[in-house]
Amino acid sequence: IHKDLTKVAQHVVGIDIVQDDIDAMKSHGYDVRLIDAEKMSDYLKEEEFDVILLADVIEHIANPGKVIHESIKVLNGKGMIIITVPNALGIVRFLKSFFKYEQVHPDHLAYYSSSTLETLALTFQLKIEELAWYQFEVRDKRPIVYLSAAIERVITTFFPWQAEGCIAVLSTEK
């Protein structure tokens, strides 16, 4: 994602808590720093950002409200926060439950829907500019994965809120 962001942004700063991942990104020329998202304002005091992108982040964090609060602190006056998360209401995730299989990533502490993202935004008095959903990207070549993707595409044609992921675009403007 850093490659795409650097094409459209004047300056991109990535943060992570895994030094090996930071080193790998730095080896490609990206500005990535060892910063805990729950304490980012402590490290980014001298910087302001137009956009904070929390792409598949908050589901890994025990206190997502703290990360939202920290994000607001480092935004400029009219900044935006973009959050992407796996959708708790995704149709493929739901269908797997019929086979007594709960699709839970081992690093995820919570799952979100567009409604819970709205609640999180309103808790911090953020304006919801847009809610959207995205389908999962097929990387696995197994037939069952292609079948899952096909089912998702058909269902989300009529019920987009049942896609694999949610996107919330939030602003500090009221």
Side-chain angles (χ1 to χ4, degrees):
I1 197 167
H2 282 73
K3 182 180 178 182
D4 292 332
L5 290 173
T6 57
K7 291 177 185 175
V8 297
Q10 290 179 343
H11 184 67
V12 176
V13 175
I15 67 169
D16 206 318
I17 58 171
V18 179
Q19 188 63 54
D20 288 345
D21 293 346
I22 293 167
D23 294 341
M25 294 301 292
K26 283 185 172 187
S27 74
H28 294 288
Y30 298 112
D31 181 359
V32 182
R33 305 173 193 175
L34 181 64
I35 296 174
D36 180 342
E38 291 184 13
K39 300 174 186 169
M40 77 174 95
S41 68
D42 293 344
Y43 298 92
L44 300 171
K45 291 177 191 167
E46 306 302 317
E47 299 178 75
E48 278 190 339
F49 297 90
D50 297 326
V51 178
I52 299 290
L53 174 61
L54 299 172
D56 293 351
V57 170
I58 67 169
E59 67 273 13
H60 295 270
I61 296 173
N63 188 347
K66 177 76 172 153
V67 175
I68 300 296
H69 182 69
E70 287 292 299
S71 297
I72 292 168
K73 287 164 97 174
V74 298
L75 282 174
N76 71 19
K78 296 181 181 180
M80 300 186 79
I81 300 171
I82 301 172
I83 300 173
T84 68
V85 292
N87 184 5
L89 302 179
I91 189 66
V92 173
R93 188 169 285 106
F94 173 72
L95 290 174
K96 287 179 179 180
S97 71
F98 286 102
F99 299 95
K100 207 173 180 186
Y101 176 75
E102 186 176 351
Q103 182 184 347
V104 177
H105 189 283
D107 294 339
H108 290 183
L109 301 175
Y111 276 82
Y112 296 87
S113 67
S114 52
S115 291
T116 56
L117 288 176
E118 284 183 280
T119 300
L120 191 59
L122 295 173
T123 299
F124 289 92
Q125 299 176 343
L126 294 166
K127 181 180 177 190
I128 301 157
E129 299 290 343
E130 184 177 358
L131 288 171
W133 299 270
Y134 60 90
Q135 297 171 343
F136 80 85
E137 183 180 335
V138 178
R139 295 180 186 160
D140 189 324
K141 302 293 184 201
R142 292 177 297 160
I144 191 71
V145 176
Y146 279 102
L147 177 60
S148 295
I151 290 169
E152 181 190 42
R153 279 162 180 64
V154 169
I155 297 293
T156 58
T157 299
F158 304 101
F159 309 102
W161 55 88
Q162 295 215 269
E164 173 68 16
C166 299
I167 302 169
V169 180
L170 314 171
S171 72
T172 54
E173 288 188 42
K174 304 231 175 3

